[in-house]
Amino acid sequence: MSGMEMMSETLLKPIKAGLIGAGIQASLTPAMHMKEGRAQGLSYEYDLIDLDQLGASIDDLPRLLSEAEERGFSGLNITHPCKQAVMPHLDELSADARSIGAVNTVVLKDGRRYGHNTDWWGFAQSFRRGLPGVDTSFVVQLGAGGAGVATAYAALSLGAAKLAVFDREQQRAIALSRSMQEIFPDAQITAGGDLVEAMQRASGLIHATPTGMSGYPGLPLPADLLDRRHWVGEIVYFPLETELLRQARQRGCPTLDGGGMAVFQAVGAFQLFTGLQPDANRMLDHFKSMTA
């Protein structure tokens, strides 16, 4: 077989991937992966493995992982409520997944399962593009759940000097601040107590809760705490224009919507699944066309 024939056979070999999570029927991830796969000359299949649709739970993860392996999947994306629960069922973890304590991407290769986290990288890449050069001396973050862990790791990786984490469950904020302090000993990381005082001192705000999503309308903090000196980074992308971003823009704040994080986590996962470098700008354009 010639080199050209071998290359052709490789490109035509189907790539199979999927997303495991609950309530994921509206996810845009399959469309992003499959369209980029076609653009790269791949036969790319991407399935939704929805726990709600299957009547399944996190207890079924061992079976679902095994079934994906039996079907020849190259990998799986993992979302709520499985990002922590999947970890004991993997053979190896990347350094960032281990530090963050959550996995959103599993590579299945040679009978082994490799856990990665592309959420933090996705937020960091989006931040670099969307808010270049902003002041990260004192960042307030709302939310200490799975997404909040990733955005905190990203903010500190980008050089945030101080990070104050707020969450309705104070113990989650305390746990996140302690775990990040171990990883980033030179930063000052606290579980916030007085949001008004923190926002008066803050240079920027990261929002990492579901508030603002279609099913959770409203604002995650009083709008009058926002000031034009703040930049505002959002993780919600359904809708892309949240009430928080609308209020921030009215006050002249530089803003970052949640679309970039969604796209760049997919960019990272695509590369892990296929070994190919995706075209990030093309994936961003496709995402924007689906959310316009």
Side-chain angles (χ1 to χ4, degrees):
M1 182 182 295
S2 70
M4 185 63 70
E5 289 171 329
M6 290 177 66
M7 182 179 295
S8 176
E9 182 178 344
T10 300
L11 290 175
L12 292 174
K13 181 181 178 181
I15 297 290
K16 296 180 181 178
L19 172 65
I20 297 179
I24 56 175
Q25 293 303 305
S27 173
L28 301 180
T29 299
M32 283 194 285
H33 277 259
M34 290 191 290
K35 184 160 186 175
E36 181 60 20
R38 288 194 297 272
Q40 298 262 4
L42 301 173
S43 172
Y44 201 118
E45 301 174 13
Y46 194 107
D47 294 346
L48 290 177
I49 304 169
D50 191 330
L51 300 184
D52 290 349
Q53 295 281 316
L54 297 172
S57 72
I58 59 174
D59 295 333
D60 295 292
L61 280 171
R63 173 178 62 83
L64 297 174
L65 289 166
S66 295
E67 288 177 354
E69 289 172 321
E70 291 166 5
R71 294 174 60 191
F73 277 41
S74 297
L76 293 161
N77 285 126
I78 309 294
T79 192
H80 178 78
C82 305
K83 290 183 180 183
Q84 288 83 31
V86 75
M87 294 175 71
H89 307 295
L90 307 179
D91 297 298
E92 294 185 31
L93 295 174
S94 65
D96 49 11
R98 187 179 299 106
S99 295
I100 293 168
V103 164
N104 79 316
T105 303
V106 176
V107 174
L108 304 173
K109 186 176 182 181
D110 300 328
R112 294 182 66 79
R113 302 166 180 173
Y114 302 88
H116 300 265
N117 190 300
T118 66
D119 280 335
W120 83 267
W121 182 84
F123 185 80
Q125 288 294 104
S126 177
F127 194 97
R128 288 189 187 102
R129 285 189 171 213
L131 293 171
V134 296
D135 179 3
T136 57
S137 59
F138 187 170
V139 179
V140 167
Q141 175 170 299
L142 305 180
V149 177
T151 54
Y153 188 92
L156 292 161
S157 297
L158 290 168
K162 295 180 181 179
L163 177 69
V165 181
F166 290 80
D167 194 275
R168 289 181 178 178
E169 298 179 30
Q170 181 70 355
Q171 286 303 313
R172 288 208 306 185
I174 292 170
L176 174 54
S177 63
R178 287 176 177 171
S179 65
M180 289 297 113
Q181 192 68 74
E182 291 182 5
I183 302 167
F184 300 95
D186 294 334
Q188 182 180 328
I189 308 162
T190 60
D194 186 337
L195 181 58
V196 173
E197 189 270 340
M199 288 299 293
Q200 288 172 348
R201 297 167 53 208
S203 54
L205 173 72
I206 294 173
H207 174 234
T209 85
T211 304
M213 292 175 63
S214 298
Y216 304 90
L219 283 168
L221 82 172
D224 60 9
L225 295 185
L226 298 171
D227 185 88
R228 63 180 303 145
R229 73 179 183 279
H230 297 133
W231 52 261
V232 177
E234 173 72 275
I235 68 160
V236 173
Y237 66 90
F238 267 133
L240 209 54
E241 173 80 351
T242 62
E243 181 64 14
L244 173 62
L245 293 184
R246 191 177 70 80
Q247 292 285 346
R249 287 172 184 150
Q250 283 183 357
R251 288 161 173 77
C253 303
T255 60
L256 178 73
D257 65 47
M261 180 179 181
V263 172
F264 281 105
Q265 66 80 21
V267 167
F270 184 97
Q271 186 170 10
L272 288 167
F273 293 162
T274 67
L276 300 174
Q277 181 65 49
D279 186 324
N281 289 326
R282 182 165 57 206
M283 292 182 75
L284 278 166
D285 288 343
H286 180 214
F287 177 86
K288 290 174 183 175
S289 74
M290 291 190 290
T291 56

PDB file of all heavy atoms in Angstrom, residues 187-221:
ATOM      1  N   ALA A 187      -0.221  33.080  45.111  1.00  0.00           N
ATOM      2  CA  ALA A 187      -1.433  33.893  45.003  1.00  0.00           C
ATOM      3  C   ALA A 187      -2.129  33.970  46.367  1.00  0.00           C
ATOM      4  O   ALA A 187      -1.878  33.158  47.258  1.00  0.00           O
ATOM      5  CB  ALA A 187      -2.372  33.307  43.956  1.00  0.00           C
ATOM      6  N   GLN A 188      -3.008  34.935  46.500  1.00  0.00           N
ATOM      7  CA  GLN A 188      -3.818  35.084  47.713  1.00  0.00           C
ATOM      8  C   GLN A 188      -5.245  34.673  47.363  1.00  0.00           C
ATOM      9  O   GLN A 188      -5.932  35.375  46.612  1.00  0.00           O
ATOM     10  CB  GLN A 188      -3.777  36.519  48.225  1.00  0.00           C
ATOM     11  CG  GLN A 188      -4.554  36.733  49.511  1.00  0.00           C
ATOM     12  CD  GLN A 188      -4.495  38.180  49.991  1.00  0.00           C
ATOM     13  OE1 GLN A 188      -3.500  38.868  49.773  1.00  0.00           O
ATOM     14  NE2 GLN A 188      -5.567  38.646  50.619  1.00  0.00           N
ATOM     15  N   ILE A 189      -5.687  33.543  47.907  1.00  0.00           N
ATOM     16  CA  ILE A 189      -6.985  32.971  47.533  1.00  0.00           C
ATOM     17  C   ILE A 189      -7.826  32.815  48.792  1.00  0.00           C
ATOM     18  O   ILE A 189      -7.388  32.199  49.774  1.00  0.00           O
ATOM     19  CB  ILE A 189      -6.802  31.609  46.836  1.00  0.00           C
ATOM     20  CG1 ILE A 189      -5.799  31.736  45.684  1.00  0.00           C
ATOM     21  CG2 ILE A 189      -8.139  31.078  46.333  1.00  0.00           C
ATOM     22  CD1 ILE A 189      -5.222  30.427  45.209  1.00  0.00           C
ATOM     23  N   THR A 190      -9.022  33.365  48.761  1.00  0.00           N
ATOM     24  CA  THR A 190      -9.880  33.334  49.936  1.00  0.00           C
ATOM     25  C   THR A 190     -11.294  32.918  49.562  1.00  0.00           C
ATOM     26  O   THR A 190     -11.731  33.076  48.417  1.00  0.00           O
ATOM     27  CB  THR A 190      -9.945  34.716  50.612  1.00  0.00           C
ATOM     28  OG1 THR A 190     -10.469  35.670  49.674  1.00  0.00           O
ATOM     29  CG2 THR A 190      -8.573  35.160  51.086  1.00  0.00           C
ATOM     30  N   ALA A 191     -12.009  32.389  50.569  1.00  0.00           N
ATOM     31  CA  ALA A 191     -13.452  32.181  50.449  1.00  0.00           C
ATOM     32  C   ALA A 191     -14.109  33.481  50.882  1.00  0.00           C
ATOM     33  O   ALA A 191     -13.996  33.889  52.039  1.00  0.00           O
ATOM     34  CB  ALA A 191     -13.896  31.027  51.322  1.00  0.00           C
ATOM     35  N   GLY A 192     -14.747  34.167  49.950  1.00  0.00           N
ATOM     36  CA  GLY A 192     -15.271  35.499  50.222  1.00  0.00           C
ATOM     37  C   GLY A 192     -16.382  35.517  51.253  1.00  0.00           C
ATOM     38  O   GLY A 192     -17.165  34.557  51.367  1.00  0.00           O
ATOM     39  N   GLY A 193     -16.460  36.615  51.985  1.00  0.00           N
ATOM     40  CA  GLY A 193     -17.515  36.789  52.964  1.00  0.00           C
ATOM     41  C   GLY A 193     -18.408  37.978  52.652  1.00  0.00           C
ATOM     42  O   GLY A 193     -19.626  37.878  52.683  1.00  0.00           O
ATOM     43  N   ASP A 194     -17.806  39.112  52.315  1.00  0.00           N
ATOM     44  CA  ASP A 194     -18.541  40.347  52.051  1.00  0.00           C
ATOM     45  C   ASP A 194     -18.408  40.688  50.566  1.00  0.00           C
ATOM     46  O   ASP A 194     -17.391  41.232  50.128  1.00  0.00           O
ATOM     47  CB  ASP A 194     -17.977  41.474  52.919  1.00  0.00           C
ATOM     48  CG  ASP A 194     -18.787  42.766  52.823  1.00  0.00           C
ATOM     49  OD1 ASP A 194     -19.480  42.958  51.807  1.00  0.00           O
ATOM     50  OD2 ASP A 194     -18.705  43.571  53.762  1.00  0.00           O
ATOM     51  N   LEU A 195     -19.455  40.376  49.800  1.00  0.00           N
ATOM     52  CA  LEU A 195     -19.393  40.580  48.354  1.00  0.00           C
ATOM     53  C   LEU A 195     -19.319  42.065  47.999  1.00  0.00           C
ATOM     54  O   LEU A 195     -18.612  42.445  47.062  1.00  0.00           O
ATOM     55  CB  LEU A 195     -20.604  39.930  47.679  1.00  0.00           C
ATOM     56  CG  LEU A 195     -20.664  40.027  46.156  1.00  0.00           C
ATOM     57  CD1 LEU A 195     -19.435  39.412  45.502  1.00  0.00           C
ATOM     58  CD2 LEU A 195     -21.941  39.366  45.623  1.00  0.00           C
ATOM     59  N   VAL A 196     -20.036  42.899  48.735  1.00  0.00           N
ATOM     60  CA  VAL A 196     -20.017  44.337  48.447  1.00  0.00           C
ATOM     61  C   VAL A 196     -18.600  44.884  48.589  1.00  0.00           C
ATOM     62  O   VAL A 196     -18.085  45.583  47.707  1.00  0.00           O
ATOM     63  CB  VAL A 196     -20.984  45.099  49.380  1.00  0.00           C
ATOM     64  CG1 VAL A 196     -20.839  46.608  49.185  1.00  0.00           C
ATOM     65  CG2 VAL A 196     -22.423  44.660  49.125  1.00  0.00           C
ATOM     66  N   GLU A 197     -17.944  44.539  49.683  1.00  0.00           N
ATOM     67  CA  GLU A 197     -16.581  45.015  49.920  1.00  0.00           C
ATOM     68  C   GLU A 197     -15.621  44.463  48.875  1.00  0.00           C
ATOM     69  O   GLU A 197     -14.737  45.173  48.376  1.00  0.00           O
ATOM     70  CB  GLU A 197     -16.148  44.606  51.331  1.00  0.00           C
ATOM     71  CG  GLU A 197     -14.839  45.204  51.791  1.00  0.00           C
ATOM     72  CD  GLU A 197     -13.636  44.337  51.445  1.00  0.00           C
ATOM     73  OE1 GLU A 197     -13.827  43.129  51.194  1.00  0.00           O
ATOM     74  OE2 GLU A 197     -12.507  44.866  51.434  1.00  0.00           O
ATOM     75  N   ALA A 198     -15.790  43.185  48.528  1.00  0.00           N
ATOM     76  CA  ALA A 198     -14.899  42.568  47.537  1.00  0.00           C
ATOM     77  C   ALA A 198     -15.045  43.233  46.174  1.00  0.00           C
ATOM     78  O   ALA A 198     -14.044  43.496  45.493  1.00  0.00           O
ATOM     79  CB  ALA A 198     -15.193  41.075  47.438  1.00  0.00           C
ATOM     80  N   MET A 199     -16.269  43.534  45.769  1.00  0.00           N
ATOM     81  CA  MET A 199     -16.478  44.163  44.465  1.00  0.00           C
ATOM     82  C   MET A 199     -15.940  45.593  44.437  1.00  0.00           C
ATOM     83  O   MET A 199     -15.533  46.084  43.387  1.00  0.00           O
ATOM     84  CB  MET A 199     -17.962  44.143  44.098  1.00  0.00           C
ATOM     85  CG  MET A 199     -18.486  42.760  43.720  1.00  0.00           C
ATOM     86  SD  MET A 199     -17.654  42.031  42.280  1.00  0.00           S
ATOM     87  CE  MET A 199     -18.197  43.119  40.967  1.00  0.00           C
ATOM     88  N   GLN A 200     -15.913  46.247  45.579  1.00  0.00           N
ATOM     89  CA  GLN A 200     -15.333  47.586  45.635  1.00  0.00           C
ATOM     90  C   GLN A 200     -13.836  47.546  45.383  1.00  0.00           C
ATOM     91  O   GLN A 200     -13.260  48.507  44.850  1.00  0.00           O
ATOM     92  CB  GLN A 200     -15.631  48.218  46.995  1.00  0.00           C
ATOM     93  CG  GLN A 200     -17.080  48.622  47.176  1.00  0.00           C
ATOM     94  CD  GLN A 200     -17.393  49.077  48.595  1.00  0.00           C
ATOM     95  OE1 GLN A 200     -16.593  48.902  49.518  1.00  0.00           O
ATOM     96  NE2 GLN A 200     -18.569  49.667  48.785  1.00  0.00           N
ATOM     97  N   ARG A 201     -13.187  46.446  45.722  1.00  0.00           N
ATOM     98  CA  ARG A 201     -11.739  46.305  45.551  1.00  0.00           C
ATOM     99  C   ARG A 201     -11.360  45.575  44.273  1.00  0.00           C
ATOM    100  O   ARG A 201     -10.208  45.630  43.836  1.00  0.00           O
ATOM    101  CB  ARG A 201     -11.154  45.543  46.747  1.00  0.00           C
ATOM    102  CG  ARG A 201     -11.316  46.269  48.081  1.00  0.00           C
ATOM    103  CD  ARG A 201     -11.019  45.338  49.247  1.00  0.00           C
ATOM    104  NE  ARG A 201      -9.713  44.689  49.085  1.00  0.00           N
ATOM    105  CZ  ARG A 201      -9.415  43.497  49.600  1.00  0.00           C
ATOM    106  NH1 ARG A 201     -10.308  42.805  50.262  1.00  0.00           N
ATOM    107  NH2 ARG A 201      -8.210  42.986  49.414  1.00  0.00           N
ATOM    108  N   ALA A 202     -12.314  44.881  43.665  1.00  0.00           N
ATOM    109  CA  ALA A 202     -12.009  43.974  42.555  1.00  0.00           C
ATOM    110  C   ALA A 202     -11.679  44.711  41.257  1.00  0.00           C
ATOM    111  O   ALA A 202     -12.193  45.798  40.988  1.00  0.00           O
ATOM    112  CB  ALA A 202     -13.181  43.031  42.322  1.00  0.00           C
ATOM    113  N   SER A 203     -10.832  44.059  40.454  1.00  0.00           N
ATOM    114  CA  SER A 203     -10.575  44.544  39.097  1.00  0.00           C
ATOM    115  C   SER A 203     -11.454  43.822  38.086  1.00  0.00           C
ATOM    116  O   SER A 203     -11.701  44.328  36.989  1.00  0.00           O
ATOM    117  CB  SER A 203      -9.103  44.330  38.732  1.00  0.00           C
ATOM    118  OG  SER A 203      -8.714  42.983  38.904  1.00  0.00           O
ATOM    119  N   GLY A 204     -11.923  42.616  38.444  1.00  0.00           N
ATOM    120  CA  GLY A 204     -12.743  41.865  37.504  1.00  0.00           C
ATOM    121  C   GLY A 204     -13.591  40.817  38.191  1.00  0.00           C
ATOM    122  O   GLY A 204     -13.377  40.474  39.363  1.00  0.00           O
ATOM    123  N   LEU A 205     -14.582  40.299  37.451  1.00  0.00           N
ATOM    124  CA  LEU A 205     -15.548  39.333  37.961  1.00  0.00           C
ATOM    125  C   LEU A 205     -15.659  38.147  37.014  1.00  0.00           C
ATOM    126  O   LEU A 205     -15.814  38.325  35.799  1.00  0.00           O
ATOM    127  CB  LEU A 205     -16.923  39.999  38.097  1.00  0.00           C
ATOM    128  CG  LEU A 205     -18.099  39.088  38.472  1.00  0.00           C
ATOM    129  CD1 LEU A 205     -18.001  38.649  39.928  1.00  0.00           C
ATOM    130  CD2 LEU A 205     -19.433  39.805  38.213  1.00  0.00           C
ATOM    131  N   ILE A 206     -15.585  36.943  37.585  1.00  0.00           N
ATOM    132  CA  ILE A 206     -15.870  35.718  36.829  1.00  0.00           C
ATOM    133  C   ILE A 206     -17.158  35.128  37.373  1.00  0.00           C
ATOM    134  O   ILE A 206     -17.291  34.907  38.589  1.00  0.00           O
ATOM    135  CB  ILE A 206     -14.734  34.685  36.963  1.00  0.00           C
ATOM    136  CG1 ILE A 206     -13.458  35.206  36.309  1.00  0.00           C
ATOM    137  CG2 ILE A 206     -15.146  33.347  36.338  1.00  0.00           C
ATOM    138  CD1 ILE A 206     -12.241  34.318  36.539  1.00  0.00           C
ATOM    139  N   HIS A 207     -18.102  34.875  36.475  1.00  0.00           N
ATOM    140  CA  HIS A 207     -19.365  34.267  36.890  1.00  0.00           C
ATOM    141  C   HIS A 207     -19.389  32.806  36.471  1.00  0.00           C
ATOM    142  O   HIS A 207     -19.333  32.503  35.273  1.00  0.00           O
ATOM    143  CB  HIS A 207     -20.567  34.986  36.277  1.00  0.00           C
ATOM    144  CG  HIS A 207     -21.854  34.293  36.575  1.00  0.00           C
ATOM    145  ND1 HIS A 207     -22.746  33.917  35.608  1.00  0.00           N
ATOM    146  CD2 HIS A 207     -22.367  33.861  37.763  1.00  0.00           C
ATOM    147  CE1 HIS A 207     -23.763  33.302  36.172  1.00  0.00           C
ATOM    148  NE2 HIS A 207     -23.562  33.253  37.472  1.00  0.00           N
ATOM    149  N   ALA A 208     -19.485  31.889  37.460  1.00  0.00           N
ATOM    150  CA  ALA A 208     -19.421  30.449  37.180  1.00  0.00           C
ATOM    151  C   ALA A 208     -20.544  29.703  37.883  1.00  0.00           C
ATOM    152  O   ALA A 208     -20.328  28.654  38.503  1.00  0.00           O
ATOM    153  CB  ALA A 208     -18.057  29.903  37.601  1.00  0.00           C
ATOM    154  N   THR A 209     -21.772  30.252  37.795  1.00  0.00           N
ATOM    155  CA  THR A 209     -22.953  29.557  38.305  1.00  0.00           C
ATOM    156  C   THR A 209     -23.968  29.437  37.169  1.00  0.00           C
ATOM    157  O   THR A 209     -23.809  30.068  36.118  1.00  0.00           O
ATOM    158  CB  THR A 209     -23.611  30.322  39.489  1.00  0.00           C
ATOM    159  OG1 THR A 209     -24.506  31.316  38.974  1.00  0.00           O
ATOM    160  CG2 THR A 209     -22.570  30.961  40.397  1.00  0.00           C
ATOM    161  N   PRO A 210     -25.042  28.657  37.355  1.00  0.00           N
ATOM    162  CA  PRO A 210     -26.047  28.537  36.282  1.00  0.00           C
ATOM    163  C   PRO A 210     -26.937  29.764  36.116  1.00  0.00           C
ATOM    164  O   PRO A 210     -27.699  29.830  35.144  1.00  0.00           O
ATOM    165  CB  PRO A 210     -26.892  27.326  36.729  1.00  0.00           C
ATOM    166  CG  PRO A 210     -26.091  26.627  37.765  1.00  0.00           C
ATOM    167  CD  PRO A 210     -25.276  27.684  38.436  1.00  0.00           C
ATOM    168  N   THR A 211     -26.878  30.723  37.031  1.00  0.00           N
ATOM    169  CA  THR A 211     -27.761  31.891  36.949  1.00  0.00           C
ATOM    170  C   THR A 211     -27.569  32.616  35.613  1.00  0.00           C
ATOM    171  O   THR A 211     -26.454  32.910  35.218  1.00  0.00           O
ATOM    172  CB  THR A 211     -27.489  32.868  38.100  1.00  0.00           C
ATOM    173  OG1 THR A 211     -27.621  32.180  39.340  1.00  0.00           O
ATOM    174  CG2 THR A 211     -28.471  34.026  38.070  1.00  0.00           C
ATOM    175  N   GLY A 212     -28.690  32.868  34.958  1.00  0.00           N
ATOM    176  CA  GLY A 212     -28.640  33.503  33.647  1.00  0.00           C
ATOM    177  C   GLY A 212     -28.942  32.545  32.517  1.00  0.00           C
ATOM    178  O   GLY A 212     -29.258  32.974  31.394  1.00  0.00           O
ATOM    179  N   MET A 213     -28.849  31.229  32.806  1.00  0.00           N
ATOM    180  CA  MET A 213     -29.245  30.246  31.806  1.00  0.00           C
ATOM    181  C   MET A 213     -30.747  30.335  31.580  1.00  0.00           C
ATOM    182  O   MET A 213     -31.485  30.904  32.400  1.00  0.00           O
ATOM    183  CB  MET A 213     -28.856  28.832  32.267  1.00  0.00           C
ATOM    184  CG  MET A 213     -27.374  28.573  32.312  1.00  0.00           C
ATOM    185  SD  MET A 213     -26.961  26.924  32.998  1.00  0.00           S
ATOM    186  CE  MET A 213     -27.737  25.854  31.780  1.00  0.00           C
ATOM    187  N   SER A 214     -31.193  29.733  30.486  1.00  0.00           N
ATOM    188  CA  SER A 214     -32.609  29.813  30.127  1.00  0.00           C
ATOM    189  C   SER A 214     -33.515  29.364  31.273  1.00  0.00           C
ATOM    190  O   SER A 214     -34.566  29.953  31.512  1.00  0.00           O
ATOM    191  CB  SER A 214     -32.868  28.966  28.882  1.00  0.00           C
ATOM    192  OG  SER A 214     -32.128  29.473  27.784  1.00  0.00           O
ATOM    193  N   GLY A 215     -33.115  28.337  31.988  1.00  0.00           N
ATOM    194  CA  GLY A 215     -33.938  27.834  33.091  1.00  0.00           C
ATOM    195  C   GLY A 215     -33.695  28.512  34.417  1.00  0.00           C
ATOM    196  O   GLY A 215     -34.397  28.234  35.394  1.00  0.00           O
ATOM    197  N   TYR A 216     -32.681  29.387  34.477  1.00  0.00           N
ATOM    198  CA  TYR A 216     -32.322  30.069  35.729  1.00  0.00           C
ATOM    199  C   TYR A 216     -32.115  31.557  35.461  1.00  0.00           C
ATOM    200  O   TYR A 216     -31.015  32.068  35.568  1.00  0.00           O
ATOM    201  CB  TYR A 216     -31.040  29.472  36.319  1.00  0.00           C
ATOM    202  CG  TYR A 216     -31.099  27.987  36.564  1.00  0.00           C
ATOM    203  CD1 TYR A 216     -30.708  27.081  35.581  1.00  0.00           C
ATOM    204  CD2 TYR A 216     -31.547  27.487  37.790  1.00  0.00           C
ATOM    205  CE1 TYR A 216     -30.761  25.720  35.810  1.00  0.00           C
ATOM    206  CE2 TYR A 216     -31.590  26.128  38.030  1.00  0.00           C
ATOM    207  CZ  TYR A 216     -31.205  25.248  37.027  1.00  0.00           C
ATOM    208  OH  TYR A 216     -31.253  23.896  37.261  1.00  0.00           O
ATOM    209  N   PRO A 217     -33.182  32.268  35.090  1.00  0.00           N
ATOM    210  CA  PRO A 217     -33.021  33.677  34.705  1.00  0.00           C
ATOM    211  C   PRO A 217     -32.634  34.558  35.884  1.00  0.00           C
ATOM    212  O   PRO A 217     -32.794  34.182  37.052  1.00  0.00           O
ATOM    213  CB  PRO A 217     -34.411  34.036  34.179  1.00  0.00           C
ATOM    214  CG  PRO A 217     -35.339  33.105  34.893  1.00  0.00           C
ATOM    215  CD  PRO A 217     -34.578  31.819  35.045  1.00  0.00           C
ATOM    216  N   GLY A 218     -32.111  35.729  35.567  1.00  0.00           N
ATOM    217  CA  GLY A 218     -31.802  36.700  36.603  1.00  0.00           C
ATOM    218  C   GLY A 218     -30.334  37.030  36.678  1.00  0.00           C
ATOM    219  O   GLY A 218     -29.550  36.715  35.776  1.00  0.00           O
ATOM    220  N   LEU A 219     -29.979  37.692  37.773  1.00  0.00           N
ATOM    221  CA  LEU A 219     -28.611  38.149  37.996  1.00  0.00           C
ATOM    222  C   LEU A 219     -27.992  37.410  39.180  1.00  0.00           C
ATOM    223  O   LEU A 219     -28.678  37.137  40.167  1.00  0.00           O
ATOM    224  CB  LEU A 219     -28.596  39.650  38.298  1.00  0.00           C
ATOM    225  CG  LEU A 219     -28.766  40.610  37.134  1.00  0.00           C
ATOM    226  CD1 LEU A 219     -29.030  42.023  37.658  1.00  0.00           C
ATOM    227  CD2 LEU A 219     -27.524  40.602  36.253  1.00  0.00           C
ATOM    228  N   PRO A 220     -26.692  37.109  39.113  1.00  0.00           N
ATOM    229  CA  PRO A 220     -26.042  36.423  40.230  1.00  0.00           C
ATOM    230  C   PRO A 220     -25.586  37.361  41.337  1.00  0.00           C
ATOM    231  O   PRO A 220     -25.118  36.896  42.387  1.00  0.00           O
ATOM    232  CB  PRO A 220     -24.837  35.762  39.557  1.00  0.00           C
ATOM    233  CG  PRO A 220     -24.483  36.697  38.444  1.00  0.00           C
ATOM    234  CD  PRO A 220     -25.800  37.233  37.949  1.00  0.00           C
ATOM    235  N   LEU A 221     -25.694  38.674  41.107  1.00  0.00           N
ATOM    236  CA  LEU A 221     -25.337  39.679  42.111  1.00  0.00           C
ATOM    237  C   LEU A 221     -26.098  40.949  41.787  1.00  0.00           C
ATOM    238  O   LEU A 221     -26.543  41.131  40.651  1.00  0.00           O
ATOM    239  CB  LEU A 221     -23.831  39.932  42.151  1.00  0.00           C
ATOM    240  CG  LEU A 221     -23.181  40.880  41.133  1.00  0.00           C
ATOM    241  CD1 LEU A 221     -21.719  41.114  41.493  1.00  0.00           C
ATOM    242  CD2 LEU A 221     -23.317  40.420  39.711  1.00  0.00           C
TER     243      LEU A 221
END
